[in-house]
Amino acid sequence: MHRLLGLETEYGLYVEGRGAADMMQESIALVRSYQGPCVKVWNHRAEDPRRDMRGFSVDALSTDPVDSQFDDPSAPRLSVSEERSDRVLPNGARLYNDHGHPEYSTPECSSIMDLVAHDCAGERIVLECARRRGLELRRPVVIYKNNTDLHGASYGTHEDYLMRRDVSPEELIAALIPFLVTRQVYAGAGKVGVEGERSDPLFQLSQRADFMAVEASVDTLHNRPIMNTRDEPHADPRKYRRLHVICGDANMSQWATAMKVGTTALVLRLLESGWRPLVRLEDPVKAIKSVSRDQTLRWLVPLADGRMLGATEIQRLYLSEARAALQGVSHESDWILDEWDLALDALEKDLLELRDRVDWVAKRAILEEYMSEEGVDWDAPILKSLDLAYHDLDPEMGLQRGLEQAGAMRRLVSEERVRAALECPPTDTRAFLRGLFVRRFNDAVENIGWSGVVFRNGHDIFRFDMGPLVEENCRLLNEEVSSAHSLDALMDILRRPSQEPEQSAPDALSHQ
């Protein structure tokens, strides 16, 4: 299942005594609380968030009026470098401020379990930064891994999948929208109430569903799409695209993170093999919200041909095709197929079988137990506080963390593997090179990005292009570079024409 995978998580931030207008500065301060070797200059040259995979660029991205109401026109304007406050870490990850939220982007991973370990490592890194910032301020700084402040603002957990470019945007959108709309039945994080046009006292599956407004676009901050069409491959654009999924929830459960990404990766593999689904939804935007809010838990979805199918039935269509085509491809893909099947069975027969792995089921069980004991309904204000507490990363305060410590939530990766991910990048992707550059040669790094790094060696400036390094034999270069303990030795290795994914690459190191 070799495919570059990544997660970008914007964390909710609460600082006692600070208001919404202070969060930009507080997020910056939190990122700067990171201690350890790092590179502080990110290379944005390959990024263009306005470019659409359908072949055009938009003039401007939508801005969120909820966010803009907290802007203070009298506050001093931050420079670009101040606002970004990047830290590129020894494990190949990136930690930075994004619109007043600390954001952690995992290193590129080629396995689901590596990705889960690095996602967990990101939680700990951000939590430790919050702890340091709290000591500096002498007041609590709380980090939430969720997607809403429950007052109308949303922040994302974005998924990244490198995939072949020969799947057309139209085919990609048509195939993925029914899947993404219904994936929330096992990947949703759960949420009390409804935001936006109504405020029903109910419990829904997804935190992000309320904020989906269109089927497809490049936007991420407002008028958010189910299918994000941003075209930033961070690889050879003739061969690859990077699918950027923004409609999913932030998961506390390791199992839910693995399944959210793993099932999507299997569907992409189907599409790359030429398979095309026949099911189309009548109104995807309406459907993603109705599935999330359906109190009957039947999750019926109108199709374009007039039929009605349940969300689990739609998921079974994808599962059936994936099992037929991909059973036996790898141990990891077989695990995903089996867990997918078991989860859909439980959703149709006994939800509580999933309380040890599906976030929304675990959260709902906690809240219903509280409601039963206290004699309150879904409109009780304290339920939103408990909802938020589920996502608190503090192991002494977070409700999900308490379940995990009690053995009531499944863990997929060992404590040793998470600790290793705090410092070490995956050994089989280009993230290994980024991490090694940061750890061993950070004084020589002028700037760094997902697909390249610029070194200064005396008076000479060199750029190493990591864009071609997306195939499995990247491991060979990683092993060779790990033996370099001087900048000159590193440059000698990087000058060799051996980085092309298929056989050998042209010289990827060039003068600027």
Side-chain angles (χ1 to χ4, degrees):
M1 244 184 81
H2 187 93
R3 179 188 302 279
L4 290 192
L5 307 164
L7 289 170
E8 311 166 55
T9 302
E10 298 174 46
Y11 287 91
L13 174 63
Y14 170 78
V15 182
E16 186 177 274
R18 299 286 198 262
D22 303 313
M23 287 303 102
M24 181 74 77
Q25 291 284 6
E26 286 301 328
S27 176
I28 291 169
L30 185 145
V31 170
R32 291 176 176 173
S33 296
Y34 174 81
Q35 295 180 357
C38 62
V39 170
K40 300 179 181 179
V41 182
W42 184 256
N43 187 339
H44 292 266
R45 184 169 54 184
E47 299 179 9
D48 183 1
R50 295 183 297 110
R51 188 170 62 233
D52 194 296
M53 69 170 71
R54 292 168 291 184
F56 58 86
S57 291
V58 299
D59 294 332
L61 300 176
S62 298
T63 57
D64 191 342
V66 175
D67 286 344
S68 61
Q69 69 179 309
F70 298 112
D71 293 342
D72 182 358
S74 65
R77 186 173 180 84
L78 298 173
S79 68
V80 172
S81 61
E82 286 176 323
E83 185 172 335
R84 287 174 177 160
S85 302
D86 281 286
R87 298 293 185 268
V88 187
L89 311 186
N91 65 354
R94 180 188 179 202
L95 174 65
Y96 62 109
N97 163 64
D98 189 3
H99 299 278
H101 296 273
E103 179 162 339
Y104 182 88
S105 295
T106 67
E108 302 95 323
C109 299
S110 67
S111 86
I112 300 298
M113 296 308 162
D114 270 355
L115 185 62
V116 171
H118 278 278
D119 186 51
C120 292
E123 296 172 358
R124 298 192 185 186
I125 288 169
V126 174
L127 183 61
E128 178 60 20
C129 289
R131 186 191 67 82
R132 293 196 186 105
R133 178 59 177 161
L135 290 174
E136 180 184 349
L137 291 173
R138 298 183 180 180
R139 64 181 70 193
V141 175
V142 186
I143 292 293
Y144 299 101
K145 191 184 184 189
N146 73 336
N147 301 107
T148 173
D149 64 358
L150 299 173
H151 294 287
S154 181
Y155 30 96
T157 298
H158 299 175
E159 308 152 44
D160 298 302
Y161 306 83
L162 194 71
M163 64 174 297
R164 283 172 26 190
R165 186 167 282 269
D166 57 4
V167 179
S168 74
E170 295 74 22
E171 291 172 326
L172 188 60
I173 293 168
L176 281 185
I177 279 186
F179 171 77
L180 294 174
V181 164
T182 55
R183 184 186 66 168
Q184 60 183 299
V185 294
Y186 52 83
K191 176 174 155 183
V192 175
V194 177
E195 295 180 79
E197 72 278 9
R198 44 191 274 195
S199 57
D200 296 9
L202 53 79
F203 182 86
Q204 57 177 316
L205 307 187
S206 169
Q207 297 212 337
R208 285 287 270 181
D210 282 343
F211 301 96
M212 296 297 108
V214 297
E215 289 187 34
S217 83
V218 295
D219 284 309
T220 59
L221 299 178
H222 189 53
N223 291 324
R224 295 178 180 92
I226 297 170
M227 183 74 187
N228 187 260
T229 51
R230 179 182 295 182
D231 191 7
E232 286 179 351
H234 302 309
D236 186 341
R238 297 165 299 179
K239 299 178 181 178
Y240 301 104
R241 71 170 85 255
R242 178 180 61 110
L243 176 64
H244 187 232
V245 176
I246 74 165
C247 63
D249 287 5
N251 292 111
M252 297 292 290
S253 162
Q254 294 182 12
W255 181 94
T257 296
M259 292 300 293
K260 173 179 67 181
V261 177
T263 56
T264 307
L266 290 182
V267 172
L268 292 181
R269 180 110 181 221
L270 282 176
L271 289 172
E272 290 170 333
S273 70
W275 172 84
R276 299 294 179 265
L278 299 177
V279 61
R280 291 177 182 266
L281 307 187
E282 179 184 78
D283 186 338
V285 174
K286 184 177 179 180
I288 198 171
K289 297 177 181 180
S290 66
V291 168
S292 182
R293 300 169 185 175
D294 184 0
Q295 301 304 287
T296 71
L297 303 184
R298 296 174 64 200
W299 308 306
L300 295 177
V301 181
L303 304 186
D305 62 10
R307 290 181 295 153
M308 297 283 284
L309 278 184
T312 55
E313 293 177 279
I314 293 172
Q315 282 290 309
R316 282 199 184 281
L317 295 176
Y318 287 90
L319 168 60
S320 176
E321 295 292 336
R323 190 179 289 283
L326 303 174
Q327 184 80 47
V329 167
S330 72
H331 173 76
E332 193 165 79
S333 61
D334 284 350
W335 180 87
I336 293 164
L337 290 168
D338 291 342
E339 290 293 319
W340 197 356
D341 201 356
L342 290 170
L344 295 178
D345 281 345
L347 286 165
E348 294 169 345
K349 296 173 183 177
D350 185 0
L351 282 178
L352 289 182
E353 288 185 12
L354 299 172
R355 68 181 296 175
D356 67 341
R357 69 202 87 163
V358 174
D359 278 312
W360 76 262
V361 178
K363 182 190 289 185
R364 178 174 172 144
I366 292 173
L367 297 179
E368 287 183 334
E369 287 170 7
Y370 177 87
M371 291 162 61
S372 177
E373 291 173 1
E374 299 298 324
V376 298
D377 294 319
W378 287 114
D379 57 355
I382 193 172
L383 294 184
K384 289 190 176 182
S385 297
L386 294 174
D387 183 336
L388 197 57
Y390 182 88
H391 300 272
D392 189 336
L393 289 187
D394 188 333
E396 296 182 2
M397 302 298 293
L399 296 183
Q400 191 277 343
R401 288 296 183 251
L403 293 175
E404 197 172 68
Q405 291 168 17
M409 291 288 285
R410 287 178 58 179
R411 296 192 62 176
L412 301 183
V413 294
S414 67
E415 176 65 17
E416 292 72 22
R417 192 166 182 176
V418 175
R419 288 179 180 174
L422 291 169
E423 300 291 338
C424 304
T427 59
D428 59 350
T429 75
R430 64 191 186 187
F432 179 86
L433 298 175
R434 189 182 308 107
L436 184 140
F437 297 156
V438 171
R439 186 169 57 253
R440 198 176 292 177
F441 303 106
N442 73 78
D443 289 342
V445 176
E446 289 280 290
N447 61 66
I448 200 165
W450 293 121
S451 56
V453 58
V454 175
F455 294 99
R456 180 179 291 277
N457 187 12
H459 295 293
D460 294 327
I461 294 179
F462 301 99
R463 181 179 187 275
F464 177 59
D465 180 11
M466 295 193 292
L469 301 177
V470 297
E471 303 291 341
E472 290 183 85
N473 66 357
C474 178
R475 185 195 299 267
L476 301 176
L477 178 62
N478 293 346
E479 291 174 356
E480 190 173 13
V481 166
S482 66
S483 67
H485 291 276
S486 71
L487 188 59
D488 287 338
L490 175 68
M491 293 298 163
D492 285 343
I493 293 171
L494 297 184
R495 284 192 178 97
R496 297 174 191 168
S498 58
Q499 276 63 259
E500 182 70 22
E502 288 77 17
Q503 295 294 329
S504 62
D507 191 355
L509 191 66
S510 59
H511 286 276
Q512 283 195 333

